[in-house]
Amino acid sequence: MNAPAPIQRVLVGYGSESGNARALAHRLGAFPALQAHAPQVLPFNEIDVASLGAGDVLLALSSSFGDGEPPANGEHFAEALRLAPALPGLRYAVFGLGDTGYPRFCGFTKALDTLLGERQARPIMNRVDADACYETFFERWAPVLGNVLNGEHDAGRDLHLQVTAYGEDNAFNAPVIERRRLSGSSPAAWHVTLDLRGSGIVYRAGDTLHVLAPNDPALLDALAAWYGDPQAAELLRHKELRLLNKTVLRELARLGGSEVLKGLLKVSQRHALESYLHGTDLLDVLQDHATPESVPLARLAELLSPSLPRAYSIASAFGDTVSLCIREVAYTHRGRERRGTATGWLLQSAEGVRIYCRSNPGFHLPTEPDAPLLLVGTGTGIAPLMGLVHELQASGSSREVHLLFGEKHRAHDFLYQEVLEQWHGEGRLTTLRTAFSRDGANKFYVQHALAEHADAMRQLLARGAHLYLCGNKQHLEGAMQQAVNALYPDDTADACTWSALQAQQRLHCELY
């Protein structure tokens, strides 16, 4: 192969809607290893495609607009490239920013890579397909790119930074490699770790893991027995049998002629309906309000939605494994033993668990490097807070972190006690406070612990602390809102009330 021509010009082109790709392009333009080439940083539409050729290196960083379209400042460039003749001698590298929630993940930058290749331009690096992990990818990509531009032409050959766009129709089957009980009381809390090797899944602390679990075979068999038709199990195998929406319930009430169910579906009976549905499944509703004749099996299969994914906050930071903190769901109702659809599978499966990740930027670490953190979690709500501390630990951050954890009994329910106390002893947690509601004569919750340390909390918030809150929405959100507002009985301009924290984007809630 002929040696590449000497580099005459380096163009850092970008397409950007929200500003992330533009910011990366300017960072790359200022990267020390590129300064010998005097890089020019331009939006795509300001690059003259007709002038590109031998001696030029195009470093293209771009997001995709919507479902794989070019950003506004890249539309003319993309069209000019489509109409351009061959561009032999042009070298290029593509860094794409996307969202795996879209079917055409990184659609524009993938198309850009294809267009350049079709016009005989030569890639000097493997294309990057980044999701929310783009910062981590950029930090790995830029130094290697610098080495390539400075003569190490094969330096990037083995660098593959491509997120796979998994979803409900394309989930990854992750083996379970650890199940560890965290609590002595029941229902138990468990730490579960899944193996991501070979998946290409990249996540960060604060993101969510979606689990696609199969329906309980015992429930499918019971439905088949109720219908007197063995085919029912297969027809309903991939249908949602637990989370029944009002559209389904209304049609079951109509078909079954059940005035009782129709009454429960009235707006005024919302609480009664919630009480009835708690712990029930499709078979219970059919037995109560229909007959096999009134709800034909084919109509039922048509009516039900596909099985819904169950979302869990991630309790780790990144890497080849992903960890969850989950509460076991197991009970007996109407003579049938029941388990949570996803939790039951996570705790029992020997076949692996079908999963995909979704970014949750609202619960990521703040961009201000020195802002203190106030982390408040109850029960398994400790999960994403563990992930945040893991991420800080991995980055070597010395950020100030204050953790407040709430549960029922210290002796039985102090989740991750050993790790948390070790972190506190090592200074990774500036303070570690707990609220065990059933250990004293009076119930003591996290909101009471916040009030007990009111002066310290006010000082912390006054110094720009971000508040992260995770736990049961019904019990936690309102109580914590009142507790935060109670820190400021006088309505002063500098009060860090709940609404003020929201307005300043210093309040991060993950409630379920």
Side-chain angles (χ1 to χ4, degrees):
M1 181 181 292
N2 295 330
I7 296 174
Q8 301 295 327
R9 183 172 61 154
V10 172
L11 298 173
V12 181
Y14 65 86
S16 186
E17 289 287 343
S18 64
N20 291 332
R22 180 177 65 248
L24 285 188
H26 283 284
R27 282 169 58 187
L28 186 63
F31 198 70
L34 272 65
Q35 296 315 297
H37 306 287
Q40 302 173 51
V41 182
L42 297 167
F44 281 144
N45 287 349
E46 293 184 17
I47 295 176
D48 180 9
V49 173
S51 73
L52 297 174
D56 288 337
V57 178
L58 172 64
L59 306 178
L61 299 93
S62 183
S63 61
S64 295
F65 177 69
D67 191 16
E69 299 300 319
N73 59 1
E75 290 179 340
H76 298 307
F77 173 80
E79 185 60 23
L81 195 58
R82 289 188 189 94
L83 300 175
L87 298 169
L90 174 66
R91 284 160 283 179
Y92 72 93
V94 175
F95 190 110
L97 293 82
D99 183 343
T100 53
Y102 286 97
R104 296 183 63 225
F105 167 61
C106 282
F108 171 60
T109 44
K110 289 176 180 177
L112 181 61
D113 185 26
T114 299
L115 276 171
L116 288 164
E118 289 173 348
R119 275 140 192 80
Q120 301 176 29
R122 184 171 68 83
I124 59 173
M125 297 276 286
N126 298 313
R127 187 189 70 241
V128 177
D129 300 333
D131 190 11
C133 61
Y134 71 85
E135 281 283 356
T136 303
F137 277 11
F138 182 79
E139 290 169 5
R140 294 175 60 189
W141 180 75
V144 178
L145 174 64
N147 293 338
V148 171
L149 293 177
N150 291 322
E152 299 179 34
H153 303 301
D154 296 331
R157 179 181 299 169
D158 297 325
L159 186 65
H160 298 278
L161 301 172
Q162 295 184 330
V163 173
T164 302
Y166 290 103
E168 289 184 50
D169 298 326
N170 179 35
F172 176 71
N173 194 59
V176 178
I177 56 177
E178 181 187 17
R179 295 182 177 102
R180 174 162 47 92
R181 185 165 177 157
L182 297 174
S183 63
S185 60
S186 293
W190 291 78
H191 179 85
V192 177
T193 301
L194 307 175
D195 189 348
L196 298 181
R197 285 177 297 180
S199 69
I201 291 175
V202 178
Y203 69 93
R204 61 176 296 185
D207 289 346
T208 55
L209 189 79
H210 294 250
V211 175
L212 291 164
N215 281 310
D216 181 359
L219 175 56
L220 290 168
D221 289 344
L223 283 162
W226 189 75
Y227 269 105
D229 186 346
Q231 292 185 349
E234 190 57 38
L235 279 173
L236 303 178
R237 186 172 305 279
H238 302 294
K239 297 295 185 177
E240 180 54 55
L241 307 180
R242 298 292 296 273
L243 304 176
L244 305 177
N245 60 46
K246 283 193 172 183
T247 299
V248 170
L249 294 171
R250 286 192 185 98
E251 184 63 6
L252 292 179
R254 186 188 72 79
L255 291 170
S258 173
E259 296 300 323
V260 173
L261 185 54
K262 290 177 183 177
L264 285 172
L265 289 165
K266 293 179 179 177
V267 174
S268 61
Q269 297 301 306
R270 180 171 63 89
H271 293 300
L273 179 64
E274 289 175 355
S275 178
Y276 170 69
L277 292 177
H278 182 71
T280 66
D281 55 33
L282 175 66
L283 179 57
D284 297 321
V285 177
L286 290 173
Q287 289 173 332
D288 289 345
H289 303 289
T291 65
E293 294 74 28
S294 66
V295 182
L297 179 57
R299 176 66 185 116
L300 180 66
E302 180 183 76
L303 177 63
L304 296 173
S305 68
S307 296
L308 298 172
R310 271 60 171 178
Y312 295 91
S313 296
I314 292 174
S316 48
F318 46 77
D320 290 334
T321 62
V322 62
S323 296
L324 305 175
C325 178
I326 64 173
R327 183 76 66 184
E328 185 173 7
V329 178
Y331 59 97
T332 300
H333 184 54
R334 298 190 182 188
R336 284 195 288 125
E337 293 185 1
R338 326 255 179 130
R339 299 186 68 87
T341 301
T343 54
W345 190 246
L346 284 163
L347 294 175
Q348 292 185 323
S349 171
E351 305 170 13
V353 181
R354 295 175 63 238
I355 61 164
Y356 61 94
C357 283
R358 284 291 177 262
S359 177
N360 184 23
F363 215 78
H364 289 168
L365 289 170
T367 55
E368 308 96 308
D370 299 322
L373 304 182
L374 174 56
L375 312 179
V376 181
T378 57
T380 56
I382 189 70
L385 310 184
M386 297 294 292
L388 295 175
V389 181
H390 277 300
E391 184 170 311
L392 290 171
Q393 183 177 357
S395 68
S397 171
S398 58
R399 191 192 293 266
E400 191 177 327
V401 183
H402 302 262
L403 177 65
L404 172 55
F405 172 66
E407 248 289 5
K408 292 181 179 178
H409 301 283
R410 174 181 289 271
H412 308 295
D413 305 311
F414 196 164
L415 310 187
Y416 298 106
Q417 179 178 2
E418 184 177 340
V419 175
L420 292 174
E421 290 180 343
Q422 179 183 338
W423 283 348
H424 186 220
E426 294 171 347
R428 300 187 189 280
L429 294 177
T430 312
T431 62
L432 172 60
R433 297 187 173 100
T434 55
F436 294 102
S437 60
R438 304 297 195 273
D439 279 353
N442 298 312
K443 292 181 179 179
F444 186 76
Y445 297 108
V446 289
Q447 62 266 28
H448 301 134
L450 195 76
E452 191 175 77
H453 300 279
D455 289 341
M457 296 299 103
R458 277 191 293 268
Q459 292 173 20
L460 190 60
L461 294 172
R463 290 191 290 112
H466 283 241
L467 171 59
Y468 287 78
L469 185 66
C470 187
N472 183 280
K473 179 179 179 67
Q474 180 180 353
H475 299 133
L476 191 59
E477 185 176 32
M480 279 299 297
Q481 180 174 350
Q482 291 179 15
V484 169
N485 289 338
L487 296 173
Y488 304 95
D490 300 318
D491 189 15
T492 57
D494 59 350
C496 296
T497 59
W498 189 267
S499 59
L501 293 174
Q502 284 179 317
Q504 296 164 24
Q505 297 184 329
R506 292 164 55 198
L507 179 63
H508 312 266
C509 296
E510 189 69 18
L511 302 165
Y512 48 86

